[in-house]
Amino acid sequence: MTNQYTDLKNADVILIMGGNPAENHPVAMKWIMRAKEQRGAKLVVVDPRFTRTAAKADLYVPIRSGTDIVFLGGLIKYIIDNNLYFKDYVLNYTDASFLVDPNFKLPDELDGVFSGYDEKKRAYDKATWKFQLDENGIPKKDPTLQDPHCVFQLLRKIYSRYTLDVVSNITGAPKDKIEECYKILASTGKPDKVMTECYAMGWTQHTVGAQNIRAMSIIQLLLGNMGMAGGGINALRGESNVQGSTDAGLLFHILTGYNPTPVASDVDLKTYIEKYTPKTKEPKSLNWLSNRPKYIVSYLKAIYGDKATKENDYCYSYLPKRDDTQNCSWLMIFDQMYKGKIKGFFAWGQNPACSGANSNKTRQALAKLDWLVCVNLWDNETSSFWKGPGMDSKKIKTEVFFLPCAASVEKEGSVTNSGRIAQWRYKAVNPPGKCMPDAEIINELYFRVKKLYEKEKGAFPDPILHLTWDYGEKDKNGKIKHVDVHKVAKEINGYFTADVPEHPNDKKAYKKGQQVPSFALLLDDGRTACGNWIYCGSYTDAGNMMARRGKEDPTGLGLFPNWAWSWPVNRRIIYNRASVDPQGNPWDPKRAVIKWDAANKKWVGDIADGPQPPLALEGGKLPFIMKPLGVGAIFGPGMADGPFPVHYEPLECPFQENPLYKKHRINPTVKLFDADTDVFVYCDTRYPYVGTTYRVTEHWQTGVMTRHTDWLRELEPQIFAEIDPVLAKEKGIKSGDKVIVSSARGKLWAIAIITPRLQPMKVLGQTIHIVGLPWHYGWKFPEDGSGGDSANLLTPTIGDPNTMIPESKAFMVNIEKA
Amino acid sequence: MELTRRSFLKISTGALLLSSLGLNLEPTKAYAAELRTKGAKETTTVCPYCSVGCSIIVSVKDGKVVNTEGDPDGPINEGALCPKGASIYQMANNPYRVTEPLYRAPGSNQWKKISWDEALDKIAKLIKQTRDKNFIVKNEKGQVVNRVDAIAHVGSAALDNEECYILQKLLRSWGLVYIEHQARI
């Protein structure tokens, strides 16, 4: 989230597309409703289903699943054609005026791909995806926005085909609704009008998922809504600490604080730093990530302590390195496992047998493991996979361990919400029986594996033997008796490893062992250790900032700066330097996030994105400090599938071809999987309906927690399939009937719900029906099988080329009365 | 005046005083006397479900959670909770929890109880065996990679930040690169 849940109340327009907060983030709805009630804000919902959120909307627009870019591309065209963009913002704070390489070509000119496409590799050579540079090495600009190579003109050109008729034809949305919607959304391109956008898996779970979000980013930049109170783009994340665990680098591509994981060609720390530290020649760019060396060195110092020295590259060689082209993402794990290449596997607080796309493949993959460790509160479809449907336990050689852990109220620690606020929670009771907090299980495994390596030696033991683990009192064997999470939190924050008599940044003296007050004070010479630089400031010598409970709200915007602590540096709205004009005055004084206090030469309000003065003043800096050029990127050369979002059909769709780019039906850069279970179909009469998955309020994810909660299971006891009344009549299905929903990969039963919440759509001359299923169920519990099984039995193994998030929101199915 | 939970409690006490002045608040009094949170110790927690971060008060008596409710002092939820957040009482008092480690041997069709010591020792040995057998010091190009592809890990979005941190530290010290979690799906 760029902003905060509480900040949603400051919006004039709230677009919900790719999410359904009334259902899945109900308390977020409190703030959306407050904006409606107190400001007269307009709530607009664009979704294939008339959701619970849509029920509260001022305008609801139905679209076919997987056509969001068409809808948003049409909006970009509408904004440009009608001159509704926020000109001062666009000119000063974005790359709209930058000139792109004249050899760069749009898909309109190249049959649906950008310049540089290599069909064999299914990837781009990005040589032309760059700006023209002047003699100082900074991008050439045309402030009139007229040059045909400037980003703005390319944007105009690429979306010129996304007319209202085209949008209506492809998305299935009625033309008058589209226009009404565009009018409301584009009304926020004024300094004193703001739109916010909220999305969740409805946007990410597509083969164009990342580009869905980029399309919205472009819109929010054109309308000047980034950095503003009541603005931004807000990912409504699905788990209590999915933000924190992402921040902690529990993903294959990132270490803590989003430092990239090294690959094989990053042969030493110097190479790593050289490659991942962005450089800029733009004098007005703060280029925050030029600080990368401080963050990576401090991380290595945190995990390898005194062993990490300048001479040994701070133990950089201890970090495992994947090969340069080795993608280790979720779908790849199960593909490798299915192919027998993964022998041991941990499912820690997760139920992949139900949560991963193409569950049949996932479940069969588990059967090929030598050993499996599941850490959970409840036995589930993953830990008991060997007794699941179609499994012959006698033939399954996998050794399985179930380790019972503690629930959230049975231990102490922090979790980070979508708004980046890390909040401390306390232990209320002891875990039941022999259940153990996860931290203790981790501690046990650390100690026991280490002991084995001390005793028996083995492959490269150094990273194991030298890992820092100073988290409390030790027993006679040298094991930490109980992990003191405060000590861990302090390591995450960071501390000085040596006396710093005069810090180069603030000229103050710091003593060895002192907590580092802010990441601005981290060093790249080994004198600071910091487990996660973005959490630097969360646990200082002043105490545990995450446990604060102050309710003051000096800005009146609902930022609550003394409630817990948000990264980075307790900033509540990121990119907030874009909320002021180049002189430092808020675009909208009534909703001032920050303001430049000229007399005292400092920012007041939220913690500004860098203390430097506003752009137009001496020493002034551009607002988008994480971008090397300092501006919001409308042109996105970092993307795998193109610097602008364009429409490709989902892997499975009802059509032979992409109506916009005939030669490329699907995203030309997606990885196609080749296992025998990786089948897919399109325009196939056997699977004529668009399938989609979603969630309900009463359940959560694969339902392991909520199915085991009697109150909740009673409310939503079993899987259902929603269909529209027309399809129901055609198929002779009535509400309450048992139906079989099938795809090219699997099938399951569900109880039919016939509902006008879904309506047939006219798309490209065809009538399209949608079949919607929640994915909260599994065969394991309730034990009588009355709940049904996971809707992911139907979904395909295919991912977005940037994120590798599976396409679970659009696939083809059939439905029949059971 | 902004009504916080604490000030609300003070007002309630005031109301009880009023009752001694002749106002009939007997029903209120009777109800208050029966509250299961009476004498309970309160701590705060954050909802373990979605990412809004709702603050919840947990009341504990005799080592048992006796009540959970939205925390009015939490500025994000102002005391409100959704059905899931409102149900965490049943997460804390749950008959379906597995309360001791379980083991399923190769080819077996059932779980067997196992001690923590035995389970953890077995797992540690398997980690070491698999790691030693599959450890890659250099890749085909001769670059030092110090990794193991044969062990993978998913999960952690339900763990606390501190647990996540030591977990990533540990997994990478073993050489794992197949590390993924909920954010990817």
Side-chain angles (χ1 to χ4, degrees):
Chain A
M1 254 182 161
T2 56
N3 292 43
Q4 297 294 336
Y5 284 104
T6 46
D7 172 67
L8 295 172
K9 71 167 183 172
N10 298 314
D12 298 303
V13 174
I14 298 142
L15 171 63
I16 308 292
M17 192 169 171
N20 181 11
E23 190 88 51
N24 301 320
H25 301 81
V27 173
M29 208 58 192
K30 181 189 192 82
W31 301 102
I32 291 170
M33 293 309 289
R34 199 161 294 178
K36 269 170 70 80
E37 284 154 11
Q38 295 186 351
R39 304 186 57 85
K42 291 260 185 282
L43 173 62
V44 177
V45 174
V46 182
D47 199 291
R49 286 186 306 142
F50 185 80
T51 60
R52 274 180 170 167
T53 311
K56 292 288 181 188
D58 296 279
L59 176 67
Y60 164 68
V61 188
I63 62 165
R64 170 168 65 103
S65 188
T67 61
D68 302 70
I69 289 173
V70 181
F71 192 87
L72 298 173
L75 174 58
I76 294 172
K77 176 176 162 56
Y78 182 90
I79 292 167
I80 295 176
D81 288 354
N82 296 291
N83 234 359
L84 295 169
Y85 55 95
F86 183 175
K87 201 165 180 196
D88 285 344
Y89 188 105
V90 166
L91 278 179
N92 287 299
Y93 295 162
T94 79
D95 60 6
S97 63
F98 293 17
L99 305 190
V100 174
D101 189 313
N103 295 314
F104 170 72
K105 295 278 182 291
L106 296 173
D108 307 56
E109 303 160 84
L110 295 174
D111 287 331
V113 289
F114 294 89
S115 45
Y117 184 62
D118 180 334
E119 201 156 356
K120 268 198 195 125
K121 289 186 186 160
R122 298 185 62 79
Y124 281 101
D125 171 354
K126 300 182 180 177
T128 60
W129 302 9
K130 60 175 196 286
F131 295 125
Q132 302 176 35
L133 302 179
D134 68 11
E135 61 283 4
N136 298 317
I138 59 175
K140 289 186 187 169
K141 301 174 185 84
D142 174 19
T144 69
L145 303 180
Q146 295 305 310
D147 189 298
H149 296 299
C150 81
V151 170
F152 186 79
Q153 287 301 328
L154 292 172
L155 199 63
R156 180 199 293 274
K157 201 169 160 192
I158 197 167
Y159 297 114
S160 61
R161 302 164 68 178
Y162 293 57
T163 61
L164 285 177
D165 283 322
V166 165
V167 175
S168 176
N169 240 334
I170 299 176
T171 62
K175 207 169 142 185
D176 58 333
K177 294 265 186 200
I178 300 171
E179 196 164 12
E180 190 186 347
C181 179
Y182 287 178
K183 194 173 167 194
I184 296 172
L185 306 184
S187 72
T188 62
K190 303 190 182 78
D192 62 346
K193 290 282 177 218
V194 187
M195 164 168 63
T196 185
E197 203 286 335
C198 299
Y199 73 90
M201 267 63 83
W203 263 1
T204 58
Q205 289 179 342
H206 291 279
T207 42
V208 291
Q211 294 285 18
N212 283 335
I213 296 145
R214 270 217 30 91
M216 193 65 213
S217 313
I218 291 170
I219 290 160
Q220 288 295 60
L221 287 172
L222 288 174
L223 297 172
N225 288 331
M226 296 303 286
M228 303 284 286
I233 297 184
N234 295 302
L236 309 175
R237 306 204 63 178
E239 310 229 2
S240 60
N241 203 31
V242 71
Q243 185 63 55
S245 51
T246 307
D247 300 340
L250 278 150
L251 289 162
F252 88 92
H253 70 299
I254 45 172
L255 302 170
T256 62
Y258 302 87
N259 284 323
T261 48
V263 292
S265 66
D266 305 329
V267 292
D268 52 22
L269 187 58
K270 188 168 166 259
T271 311
Y272 176 93
I273 284 173
E274 184 68 23
K275 184 160 142 196
Y276 301 112
T277 308
K279 289 159 203 70
T280 185
K281 293 189 174 162
E282 169 54 63
K284 288 189 177 296
S285 165
L286 207 50
N287 188 23
W288 194 264
L289 287 176
S290 64
N291 292 304
R292 178 93 71 201
K294 300 171 186 169
Y295 308 150
I296 187 70
V297 171
S298 297
Y299 170 71
L300 289 167
K301 282 297 288 181
I303 62 174
Y304 286 112
D306 291 341
K307 289 284 173 192
T309 63
K310 191 163 189 280
E311 292 66 39
N312 68 7
D313 235 7
Y314 300 103
C315 296
Y316 171 81
S317 66
Y318 288 10
L319 290 179
K321 285 147 197 97
R322 65 199 151 88
D323 285 340
D324 289 37
T325 55
Q326 188 183 6
N327 185 301
C328 304
S329 66
W330 179 280
L331 293 174
M332 297 303 292
I333 289 181
F334 291 97
D335 195 56
Q336 292 290 298
M337 196 185 291
Y338 187 78
K339 292 171 178 167
K341 291 182 182 161
I342 287 174
K343 308 291 179 194
F345 181 57
F346 289 87
W348 204 302
Q350 195 169 11
N351 183 20
C354 288
S355 61
N358 198 357
S359 298
N360 276 326
K361 180 179 180 182
T362 309
R363 293 172 185 184
Q364 287 171 47
L366 293 170
K368 299 190 176 165
L369 290 166
D370 290 348
W371 53 272
L372 165 67
V373 178
C374 291
V375 186
N376 214 306
L377 302 177
W378 294 277
D379 189 7
N380 54 64
E381 289 75 16
T382 302
S383 44
S384 277
F385 81 91
W386 41 274
K387 44 178 163 168
M391 293 282 172
D392 180 355
S393 60
K394 277 191 232 62
K395 289 188 185 153
I396 296 168
K397 303 284 177 221
T398 317
E399 236 180 319
V400 188
F401 299 85
F402 183 96
L403 306 181
C405 57
S408 53
V409 296
E410 296 156 6
K411 60 189 184 182
E412 185 183 18
S414 67
V415 283
T416 303
N417 82 346
S418 281
R420 297 163 281 104
I421 301 177
Q423 304 187 91
W424 198 260
R425 52 187 187 191
Y426 297 88
K427 178 178 170 176
V429 286
N430 285 323
K434 294 177 182 169
C435 295
M436 219 198 279
D438 301 85
E440 304 298 344
I441 302 173
I442 297 165
N443 181 46
E444 292 289 343
L445 291 174
Y446 157 79
F447 179 74
R448 286 167 202 253
V449 172
K450 185 182 172 209
K451 275 282 151 195
L452 287 178
Y453 275 95
E454 278 171 355
K455 216 167 81 190
E456 304 168 8
K457 306 291 180 253
F460 195 45
D462 305 40
I464 294 168
L465 300 180
H466 298 156
L467 200 65
T468 57
W469 208 267
D470 184 15
Y471 302 133
E473 198 189 324
K474 289 180 181 167
D475 69 11
K476 61 181 189 315
N477 298 317
K479 187 177 83 184
I480 303 291
K481 286 185 194 162
H482 294 289
V483 174
D484 178 349
V485 291
H486 291 270
K487 288 197 161 199
V488 180
K490 285 179 176 180
E491 180 179 314
I492 295 171
N493 176 90
Y495 53 91
F496 289 93
T497 63
D499 289 348
V500 178
E502 192 188 270
H503 196 288
N505 273 31
D506 65 358
K507 310 296 171 206
K508 288 185 187 159
Y510 293 94
K511 286 269 173 230
K512 179 179 175 176
Q514 240 182 297
Q515 292 294 100
V516 180
S518 148
F519 58 55
L521 296 169
L522 293 174
L523 294 164
D524 64 1
D525 59 8
R527 288 186 292 172
T528 55
C530 173
N532 188 351
W533 69 276
I534 58 175
Y535 281 74
C536 193
S538 65
Y539 207 126
T540 63
D541 285 336
N544 183 355
M545 298 294 127
M546 300 174 283
R548 297 182 308 161
R549 286 177 61 87
K551 291 190 65 184
E552 305 76 19
D553 184 22
T555 60
L557 296 170
L559 302 184
F560 304 105
N562 301 321
W563 178 265
W565 184 88
S566 70
W567 70 261
V569 290
N570 205 29
R571 181 174 302 134
R572 302 287 159 142
I573 296 180
I574 53 179
Y575 310 124
N576 56 25
R577 289 169 73 97
S579 71
V580 296
D581 68 17
Q583 275 72 40
N585 300 309
W587 294 117
D588 181 1
K590 288 195 191 128
R591 278 171 288 197
V593 183
I594 57 167
K595 185 181 188 325
W596 180 251
D597 174 354
N600 296 303
K601 293 194 173 166
K602 62 169 195 175
W603 293 101
V604 290
D606 193 11
I607 311 287
D609 248 334
Q612 289 73 8
L615 184 61
L617 305 190
E618 197 190 332
K621 294 290 177 192
L622 286 156
F624 289 90
I625 64 168
M626 301 308 277
K627 305 295 293 178
L629 292 169
V631 292
I634 291 172
F635 186 72
M639 305 295 283
D641 43 357
F644 296 111
V646 289
H647 173 69
Y648 297 109
E649 287 289 327
L651 175 75
E652 293 195 325
C653 74
F655 306 108
Q656 271 297 352
E657 53 189 24
N658 179 350
L660 282 170
Y661 310 102
K662 305 259 180 228
K663 271 185 90 173
H664 292 276
R665 188 182 64 86
I666 59 168
N667 189 330
T669 57
V670 286
K671 179 190 160 51
L672 298 170
F673 287 80
D674 57 7
D676 54 359
T677 56
D678 294 323
V679 283
F680 65 92
V681 296
Y682 62 98
C683 194
D684 186 322
T685 50
R686 291 174 300 167
Y687 304 102
Y689 311 117
V690 176
T692 193
T693 61
Y694 43 83
R695 299 184 282 160
V696 298
T697 297
E698 296 77 10
H699 281 294
W700 192 63
Q701 317 301 42
T702 69
V704 174
M705 289 180 78
T706 50
R707 281 186 271 138
H708 288 96
T709 300
D710 293 341
W711 290 335
L712 297 171
R713 193 180 63 255
E714 195 174 318
L715 289 166
E716 289 284 1
Q718 69 214 151
I719 187 164
F720 55 83
E722 286 185 283
I723 55 171
D724 68 63
V726 179
L727 178 61
K729 208 173 161 195
E730 257 176 48
K731 304 293 264 183
I733 297 168
K734 291 190 196 65
S735 273
D737 282 352
K738 205 171 194 181
V739 290
I740 302 290
V741 184
S742 57
S743 78
R745 294 154 297 276
K747 61 177 182 179
L748 75 168
W749 67 261
I751 299 298
I753 297 182
I754 316 305
T755 172
R757 288 190 293 267
L758 288 170
Q759 289 292 333
M761 288 179 173
K762 269 274 177 242
V763 180
L764 300 165
Q766 289 185 38
T767 302
I768 301 294
H769 300 281
I770 294 176
V771 177
L773 303 114
W775 58 281
H776 303 296
Y777 299 92
W779 60 267
K780 175 74 182 64
F781 195 87
E783 281 177 347
D784 60 4
S786 61
D789 210 341
S790 174
N792 275 316
L793 288 162
L794 306 173
T795 53
T797 310
I798 190 83
D800 172 280
N802 300 282
T803 62
M804 287 295 275
I805 293 177
E807 188 161 67
S808 311
K809 288 288 177 273
F811 49 93
M812 298 307 291
V813 298
N814 189 26
I815 184 167
E816 296 291 348
K817 209 169 154 176
Chain B
M1 181 186 102
E2 210 179 339
L3 197 63
T4 65
R5 178 182 166 82
R6 305 299 148 195
S7 50
F8 173 74
L9 287 177
K10 274 182 218 153
I11 293 167
S12 311
T13 320
L16 286 176
L17 281 175
L18 279 180
S19 70
S20 61
L21 298 173
L23 273 160
N24 184 8
L25 289 176
E26 279 309 311
T28 319
K29 239 168 105 180
Y31 177 66
E34 287 164 13
L35 279 181
R36 61 177 178 229
T37 51
K38 197 180 172 198
K41 187 180 166 242
E42 285 184 355
T43 53
T44 56
T45 189
V46 177
C47 181
Y49 285 109
C50 87
S51 64
V52 172
C54 296
S55 189
I56 296 175
I57 296 171
V58 183
S59 302
V60 175
K61 223 157 52 179
D62 305 324
K64 286 269 172 222
V65 172
V66 292
N67 189 56
T68 59
E69 64 186 282
D71 174 5
D73 286 346
I76 304 171
N77 59 318
E78 297 181 331
L81 290 176
C82 76
K84 285 194 289 289
S87 75
I88 73 158
Y89 168 82
Q90 282 200 337
M91 175 192 78
N93 296 287
N94 193 290
Y96 310 109
R97 288 270 295 269
V98 178
T99 54
E100 49 195 310
L102 302 175
Y103 175 70
R104 182 259 178 190
S108 165
N109 63 358
Q110 56 184 334
W111 286 114
K112 273 168 82 174
K113 286 175 185 173
I114 186 172
S115 74
W116 273 108
D117 257 332
E118 201 186 343
L120 292 164
D121 277 340
K122 270 179 183 270
I123 296 167
K125 274 182 197 144
L126 288 168
I127 292 167
K128 184 170 186 300
Q129 262 172 30
T130 313
R131 184 181 181 274
D132 285 352
K133 198 173 161 196
N134 297 281
F135 197 79
I136 310 170
V137 176
K138 284 185 180 175
N139 65 6
E140 284 171 4
K141 288 184 180 166
Q143 294 157 328
V144 176
V145 292
N146 286 334
R147 70 163 192 259
V148 57
D149 288 342
I151 308 177
H153 181 285
V154 301
S156 73
L159 304 190
D160 292 347
N161 285 323
E162 295 70 27
E163 294 171 331
C164 288
Y165 173 74
I166 57 172
L167 182 59
Q168 65 82 29
K169 196 169 153 173
L170 181 63
L171 298 174
R172 294 202 162 100
S173 81
W174 293 341
L176 268 62
V177 287
Y178 285 100
I179 300 171
E180 282 281 270
H181 85 298
Q182 283 86 343
R184 191 75 66 190
I185 58 169

